[in-house]
Amino acid sequence: AGAAEPPPKLVLDLERLTQLPTDKGGPLQRYAATIQSQRGDYNGKVLSIRQDDLRTLAVIYDLSPSVLTEQLIGWGVLDADARRAVQAEES
Ligand code: C2E
Ligand code: C2E
Ligand code: C2E
């Protein structure tokens, strides 16, 4: 990617998120529901979240942001592009 390109967004797949078992997806499901409620944004199939929110979620899951990102990509909740968003953040 060129230097002038903005970092990719973190976009949650909400349909995939609802399919996750609660023991894995529960904290993220509650977090996303809170953001939807604060924005009044209930109709989307996806939800764009803040870089800051991924850091908060990493604390909740007791993982580093990059390891959590890999986890979420593995679950199909984030797409592989999210990797670059987190790298941009940590570099
Ligand atoms: P706030 O942080 O004071 O933001 C007020 C309004 O500024 C937001 O209203 C939105 O219209 C706009 N805004 C702020 N940051 C962005 C941004 O990065 N992109 C865009 N497009 N607009 C932005 P909104 O959406 O109704 O949200 C109301 C409040 O809900 C926010 O107040 C914030 O406290 C909370 N909130 C909403 N979305 C998020 C989120 O993704 N993460 C977190 N941590 N809080 C959020
Ligand atoms: P994009 O960011 O690539 O988003 C593509 C589509 O994904 C959006 O089409 C919308 O249907 C969905 N989407 C992405 N994030 C969210 C979300 O947090 N909630 C919901 N409900 N849907 C989401 P849409 O709305 O027609 O927007 C088309 C393009 O317009 C966006 O492409 C983006 O480039 C721009 N755009 C729309 N809203 C905002 C915004 O709040 N901030 C900025 N900077 N651009 C926006
Ligand atoms: P976006 O709207 O395209 O914004 C991209 C980046 O521009 C944001 O990354 C943030 O760094 C900055 N930005 C945009 N608007 C504001 C603002 O009002 N206040 C501040 N302090 N910064 C702003 P970030 O934070 O990682 O957010 C990523 C995406 O998450 C945003 O893309 C937007 O789609 C969504 N988002 C974040 N916060 C809110 C919010 O409060 N309301 C809504 N509706 N969407 C939000």
Side-chain angles (χ1 to χ4, degrees), residues 61-80:
Y61 276 96
D62 197 18
L63 297 169
S64 71
S66 51
V67 171
L68 176 63
T69 301
E70 290 304 321
Q71 185 70 260
L72 296 181
I73 293 170
W75 291 345
V77 169
L78 286 176
D79 65 30

Side-chain angles (χ1 to χ4, degrees), residues 35-46:
I35 290 175
Q36 283 184 290
S37 148
Q38 288 178 312
R39 291 185 192 166
D41 180 5
Y42 297 107
N43 296 319
K45 289 188 172 152
V46 297

Side-chain angles (χ1 to χ4, degrees), residues 9 39 48-51:
K9 280 202 198 180
R39 291 185 192 166
S48 300
I49 62 159
R50 295 181 187 175
Q51 296 272 358

